[in-house]
Amino acid sequence: MGFFDRLKQGLTKTRDKIVQGFRAVLPIGKAIDAQVLDDLEQTMLAADMGPAIVHELLEQIRSQWKKGLIKETQEIVPFLQQKLIERFPVEDRQIRWAATKPTVILVTGVNGSGKTTSIAKLAHHLTHVEQKKVLVAACDTFRAAAVEQLTIWADRIGVPIVKHDQGSDPAAVAFDACEAALARGIDVVIVDTAGRLHTQDHLMRELAKIQRVIDKKIPGAPHEVLLVLDATIGQNAVNQAKIFGQFVKVSGLFLAKLDGSAKGGVVIGIRDQLGVPVKFVGLGETPDAIAPFDPAQFVTALLEN
Ligand SMILES: Nc1nc2c(ncn2[C@@H]2O[C@H](COP(=O)(O)OP(=O)(O)O)[C@@H](O)[C@H]2O)c(=O)[nH]1
Ligand SMILES: [Mg+2]
């Protein structure tokens, strides 16, 4: 299955909600009026797209309508699609590759958001699609199960893993992983971390320490700090990311569990709300259930029947 089909399938719940909502408020052949636009606004808000962007898009539609450039309800979705796609700059989507290898990607987020699974997907994608040599670092030393989980994925995908015993210093694991990567000519190191909340002071300091150690070993690293967000919580994920962003400089988002979510519309507004782009989305529990974020594909998969 290609990325688009996978995306479309993964977005089923969200799409059903949006498409049904749009169908109800935008019946074909109806003349646009103020009520139609109000209903459309409510539908978009209900789809978790985010208040600011919804308001802005509605203003654009309203202005087109007032100028007589769009008149009937069926003209709205194509206009909306075009406006949405324009909002996501191309440069957003690239991983921030290091000038000299390895590139280090630090993965963070709250407990259960999907970090370890998303790392498996990323390792799979970078290995098989981008032909990179990947190494994973098991810096979630908090629970034995966490190291085991990553080990199983690494074996399945066929990438090396650097790990220590449970309870050991995650920064030391990160240090060893960087050293191993340099010695083995690895292209990308992906660092798993324990789930944490901003209120857990010691864990936030631990994350900073991991970053410092990585930077010391590989100056400028980590090149990418990916925050994994659970798409099933919709707009709450945005709030979570805002809080996280006060403690860690996040460079990209990995939106996991889109397949289980009817709130996938959150992707639409999240870039504007956070100033951080979505780089990948997770669409299931297997390593191949990943799609790089492609706005045109996303918008099409989301809005088209
Ligand atoms: N349906 C679905 N489940 C996912 C996805 N990503 C992660 N999960 C599940 O979410 C749960 C928590 O994932 P895990 O990677 O262990 O989260 P972590 O605690 O952040 O490392 C697991 O049951 C995963 O299988 C996804 O994209 N889709
Ligand atoms: Mg984990």
Side-chain angles (χ1 to χ4, degrees):
M1 219 195 288
F3 286 134
F4 182 70
D5 292 323
R6 194 178 292 285
L7 186 65
K8 202 162 174 191
Q9 195 181 62
L11 280 171
T12 302
K13 287 189 188 173
T14 300
R15 189 179 61 244
D16 283 354
K17 184 170 175 182
I18 293 180
V19 168
Q20 277 166 23
F22 279 11
R23 210 177 280 149
V25 300
L26 306 174
I28 293 169
K30 183 174 157 63
I32 298 170
D33 58 26
Q35 187 63 48
V36 164
L37 296 180
D38 284 349
D39 292 345
L40 177 65
E41 185 159 11
Q42 289 314 314
T43 304
M44 287 167 72
L45 287 172
D48 275 73
M49 291 185 187
I53 191 170
V54 168
H55 185 73
E56 207 184 310
L57 287 165
L58 256 297
E59 282 310 305
Q60 291 177 331
I61 296 171
R62 208 165 268 131
S63 145
Q64 293 292 103
W65 168 58
K66 282 184 179 158
K67 288 184 200 150
L69 296 172
I70 54 174
K71 296 188 176 77
E72 291 193 348
T73 44
Q74 73 274 11
E75 296 169 73
I76 289 181
V77 170
F79 176 77
L80 204 52
Q81 272 180 311
Q82 183 204 329
K83 287 292 153 201
L84 282 173
I85 293 166
E86 284 169 9
R87 302 184 73 98
F88 299 97
V90 178
E91 62 275 13
D92 262 15
R93 277 166 263 157
Q94 321 293 338
I95 285 181
R96 298 183 172 192
W97 299 110
T100 41
K101 63 187 183 182
T103 296
V104 181
I105 302 176
L106 181 68
V107 178
T108 185
V110 306
N111 238 329
S113 57
K115 292 179 296 302
T116 307
T117 312
S118 301
I119 286 168
K121 293 172 188 177
L122 209 49
H124 173 89
H125 176 78
L126 294 174
T127 304
H128 297 295
V129 180
E130 306 244 5
Q131 321 294 335
K132 303 283 185 192
K133 276 174 80 177
V134 176
L135 177 147
V136 294
C139 294
D140 180 357
T141 58
F142 209 58
R143 298 170 301 126
V147 181
E148 273 164 38
Q149 188 190 358
L150 191 63
T151 306
I152 292 168
W153 283 128
D155 289 348
R156 253 185 235 170
I157 298 159
V159 299
I161 178 169
V162 169
K163 56 184 174 180
H164 290 185
D165 291 336
Q166 184 209 348
S168 56
D169 180 3
V173 184
F175 183 89
D176 283 359
C178 290
E179 203 158 65
L182 288 166
R184 295 189 213 173
I186 292 289
D187 297 307
V188 189
V189 181
I190 312 175
V191 182
D192 194 11
T193 60
R196 64 197 76 224
L197 291 171
H198 67 287
T199 48
Q200 294 167 309
D201 218 27
H202 62 296
L203 287 178
M204 292 319 266
R205 278 203 305 274
E206 181 189 273
L207 192 63
K209 184 180 169 193
I210 296 173
Q211 282 184 290
R212 276 200 310 278
V213 165
I214 291 174
D215 181 43
K216 208 161 180 192
K217 194 73 204 161
I218 301 169
H223 308 89
E224 186 89 72
V225 177
L226 281 186
L227 177 64
V228 178
L229 295 172
D230 178 342
T232 60
I233 63 173
Q235 281 296 311
N236 285 330
V238 177
N239 298 332
Q240 200 177 80
K242 276 186 185 157
I243 296 170
F244 239 89
Q246 293 169 5
F247 296 86
V248 194
K249 184 135 184 42
V250 176
S251 59
L253 304 172
F254 191 121
L255 199 63
K257 310 188 201 181
L258 261 185
D259 56 305
S261 175
K263 300 179 173 182
V266 66
V267 186
I268 296 298
I270 206 165
R271 194 200 176 282
D272 288 312
Q273 286 170 294
L274 298 172
V276 180
V278 175
K279 297 205 172 173
F280 294 93
V281 297
L283 301 160
E285 296 185 278
T286 54
D288 59 349
I290 176 174
F293 181 65
D294 177 325
Q297 286 193 347
F298 195 90
V299 169
T300 306
L302 201 61
L303 298 182
E304 275 183 9
N305 272 307

